[in-house]
Amino acid sequence: RGPPIAGVNSSFFNEPLGGAGDPRPVLAVAGILEDAARAVGSHATAAGRAIVLLTPGQKAHNREEQIEFGSSEYAVHVLGELWGEPPLLNLSDEKALQDALQALAAQRLMDAARDVAEGGIAVAAAKMCFPLGLGAELNLISAGLAAECVLFAEDASRALLSCAPEKVEAIEETALKYGLNAQPIGVTTGGRFAIRIDGELAIDGEASAFKKSWWQALEQALQTEPEIAQ
């Protein structure tokens, strides 16, 4: 017994632009939100909010990370290569993450939550800040991994949370109940977007400039002018 799956799209046989498309199975899941007042958005609400990374734990082998990195958006679009296997989805870890997020929302401990999906932590953090023109200062730990993996790896069952600084401890305690780690990694800012790895600056710039590149990506990829609404 679990949430109803309302629809499925396999997309195994798409062939855009005369070539085979990536297999991207998608499940549409329906649910009921009993109290709309407790809905949690996906973007940070103000500067000065803590940013917390929620994960099922660190991987034991860096080699596994390198193999899985070959299926990331960074590998495909920046390195121009594709290798290895996609990150494994552990259903127990995913359920723990979703249960924890529901508990945190019920306790009103977080302002926003965003899954770490395409583009990894760096992209998820940027997209969390984009809607209100915010920036962020993040401090990450490499644990022996290359900077690209730390920033752009797409491991499953991870989420970024935004919250009041005084609620971080309660989030950590709740996460532990579900077997998860809650690691404070930074704070939202007024517009500068910077990420440090082991204390060394890896990304630095205005969030508005990053947002512009992100917003125009589809247009540039299609190499067409946007239509002007009449």
Side-chain angles (χ1 to χ4, degrees), residues 41-88:
S42 61
H43 64 267
T45 57
R49 311 302 277 181
I51 298 177
V52 179
L53 176 62
L54 203 61
T55 71
Q58 299 297 323
K59 291 188 176 182
H61 303 292
N62 290 349
R63 181 176 177 276
E64 180 180 349
E65 188 77 41
Q66 297 285 356
I67 291 174
E68 294 179 348
F69 189 68
S71 66
S72 69
E73 292 295 300
Y74 184 92
V76 173
H77 294 291
V78 178
L79 302 181
E81 298 182 21
L82 186 65
W83 72 86
E85 301 175 356
L88 177 66

Side-chain angles (χ1 to χ4, degrees), residues 96-190:
L97 175 66
Q98 299 303 324
D99 288 345
L101 290 172
Q102 291 183 59
L104 293 170
Q107 298 174 63
R108 301 180 186 271
L109 292 177
M110 58 183 180
D111 306 325
R114 174 173 285 278
D115 65 316
V116 178
E118 292 183 335
I121 292 176
V123 173
K127 291 168 71 173
M128 177 177 274
C129 296
F130 282 163
L132 294 186
L134 299 172
E137 291 185 3
L138 304 182
N139 295 283
L140 306 177
I141 299 173
S142 69
L145 292 172
E148 291 84 356
C149 290
V150 177
L151 295 168
F152 304 112
E154 299 172 358
D155 298 5
S157 305
R158 299 186 297 170
L160 286 180
L161 314 180
S162 171
C163 67
E166 63 269 19
K167 294 184 178 181
V168 170
E169 184 175 352
I171 288 176
E172 292 173 332
E173 293 173 354
T174 299
L176 283 175
K177 294 178 182 179
Y178 292 89
L180 303 174
N181 295 328
Q183 178 186 359
I185 61 171
V187 62
T188 57
T189 66

